[in-house]
Amino acid sequence: MAKWNDGKYWVSKYNFDEEFTRELNIAPKVEIHDATLRDGEQTPGVFMSTDQKVEIAAMLDELGVERIEAGMPAVSSADFNAIKQITSSGTKAKVYSFARGMHEDIEAAKECGATGVVIEIPTSEVKLKYQFPKWDTETLIQKSVDSCAYAKKLGLETIYFGFDTCRADMATLDRLYSTLVAEARPDAIGVVDTVGCCLPSAVHMFIRRLKKYGVPLQIHTHNDFGMATASSFAAMEAGANVIHTCMNGLGERTGNAATEQIMMGMKLMYGLDNDYRLEKIKESCERVAAMCKRPLAYNAPFVGANTFARESGIGIDLVKHNPVVMFSIDPAIVGNDSLVVLGKGSGKMSVPAKCEELGIPYTLNDEQTHEVVGKIKALAIEKQSTVTNEEFVKILNEVK
């Protein structure tokens, strides 16, 4: 069976062409670090209760996510308690806490039972100049070494999260990372495209450059230019070991790389052997959307209501009976379904296809079918929209 086609999906064979794959430097194991409970909650207007956070953590664990960033205990006692409940719930996934480069934040991560801590420190010129004007390069290095060394001393897996990395000066980063690795050696370094402004190819170059420090690398992207997922995969191709994500692409401003998109890409576009429960994706995304009061986009990849919908009559019969002809995957892979939509673009084959979808026996002759199609088109043009199921049934009854 071809890697790009197993009957339930049919992606491009060029993803697996040797001329392309021999240039890849993908790590033997790449993991997802889901930050829905921290960065996702930083989406303006989103609030998650303790019970909701515990429920989302359980869903992520069931999906097969390897790492869960459960929140920032320093934010509130509720956040601390939520993380503590998650760490004691017996998840297969490792649970991490988020912290500023301060001893009290790192101690809180230890106290709430986290496996590790993600330590944020500003690194870019623009952040240091305008947001942290009292910091110079020496302060940056000193605080970075001190916080990572302290976390290691407490026995925490330590991820150095130098935010806004992609706008930092490379000479400064070289001094920082050289000293940090020599004096505190974090367990991983995160490359953070905080405002989503680094091209995927540039992210690839960035990761390649940082491999020289001999520390596992992680990638954290934002979607300001619509490239969070592409940049994450570019980092993976260059050797990043961990990809940071949020369910439904939640996160500050335009959001982070979407967990569900990264899962699907890793499995189907790259053929990685990760144990993800892909069939749980849609229901999990819908549940998160409901809890966060942020509806899924109609055309959201894999999980949108219209993602596997087709209005054009050409090939409409294949939508249900052989979906990989019309889409790259069978929607059932993610727990979704295909949809026959009726409108101006509908054709003769749309009528029996819609009847089948609604469980209505198709008994029309050719003349009646043409009349139904005409009425569908006329109504759609009049409404400047699609025809509802109820309107379709009414048209059928008028013609019979």
Side-chain angles (χ1 to χ4, degrees), residues 342 347-356 360-376 392-400:
L342 299 176
K348 179 181 175 182
M349 292 301 296
S350 301
V351 179
K354 191 63 176 179
C355 285
E356 181 182 355
I360 299 171
Y362 173 67
T363 58
L364 304 180
N365 58 36
D366 280 354
E367 183 179 343
Q368 290 172 316
T369 299
H370 281 297
E371 185 178 352
V372 169
V373 171
K375 286 178 176 288
I376 289 170
F392 171 65
V393 172
K394 183 180 178 183
I395 290 171
L396 282 180
N397 291 335
E398 289 173 355
V399 172
K400 284 182 179 177

Side-chain angles (χ1 to χ4, degrees), residues 64-81:
V65 167
E66 296 92 349
R67 307 159 66 96
I68 298 170
E69 190 175 304
M72 189 173 181
V75 169
S76 69
S77 59
D79 286 82
F80 180 93
N81 291 331

Side-chain angles (χ1 to χ4, degrees), residues 221-243:
T221 61
H222 281 263
N223 206 37
D224 297 67
F225 278 81
M227 291 186 283
T229 297
S231 291
S232 296
F233 284 137
M236 184 182 80
E237 290 180 8
N241 304 81
V242 173
I243 299 175

Side-chain angles (χ1 to χ4, degrees), residues 195-206:
V195 293
C197 62
C198 195
L199 287 166
S201 297
V203 170
H204 188 281
M205 174 200 69
F206 211 109

Side-chain angles (χ1 to χ4, degrees), residues 54 57-58 61 83-91 95:
V54 171
D61 197 44
I83 299 168
K84 199 161 188 175
Q85 284 191 44
I86 293 167
T87 60
S88 61
S89 66
T91 61
V95 179

